[in-house]
Amino acid sequence: MVDIVDLMNRDPNHLNDHIKVQFEDVLAEPEGAHSIDCVWKLAYTCFSFWLGLCYKISTLLCGICIAAEWGCEFASVAFYHVWFITPMLKMCEINCAVFSKMTRTCLSCCIEPCCEACGQFFHNFKK
């Protein structure tokens, strides 16, 4: 478990690379349809300011509670896997091994003699 949080790289596993919210990722003017330079610069400033402010307020008000909820959810998933799902899979594996052994035994007793007899019958034929 990591004791120190990296405040510079907050997505080291690139989980949210698909989320592009920078000004250049959201707004773009094609050739032939450019606004006045001061409008474009002010739009950039307003967009960046409000994006940062709204995101910070949302995370301040909700981020800690949502993180706590997700912590509980993943604790629950881990609990069910450790105490229910993995043991049930092991039990299924043990039961299937017995069934597999019974099937092989039955096939050895019932089918194998027939296959050997057919093999001996066709073995006498030459090319």
Side-chain angles (χ1 to χ4, degrees), residues 18-38:
H18 63 285
I19 300 174
K20 305 291 184 196
V21 294
Q22 294 297 319
F23 182 78
E24 299 83 11
D25 299 321
V26 176
L27 296 171
E29 291 183 323
E31 287 296 322
H34 285 191
S35 59
I36 302 169
D37 289 347
C38 66

Side-chain angles (χ1 to χ4, degrees), residues 92-124:
C92 184
E93 182 182 319
I94 291 168
N95 289 334
C96 287
V98 171
F99 180 74
S100 176
K101 188 173 183 178
M102 286 175 37
T103 303
R104 275 183 275 144
T105 302
C106 289
L107 290 175
S108 292
C109 293
C110 300
I111 305 295
E112 192 174 314
C114 295
C115 291
E116 285 180 8
C118 289
Q120 288 297 323
F121 176 75
F122 289 111
H123 178 70
N124 294 328

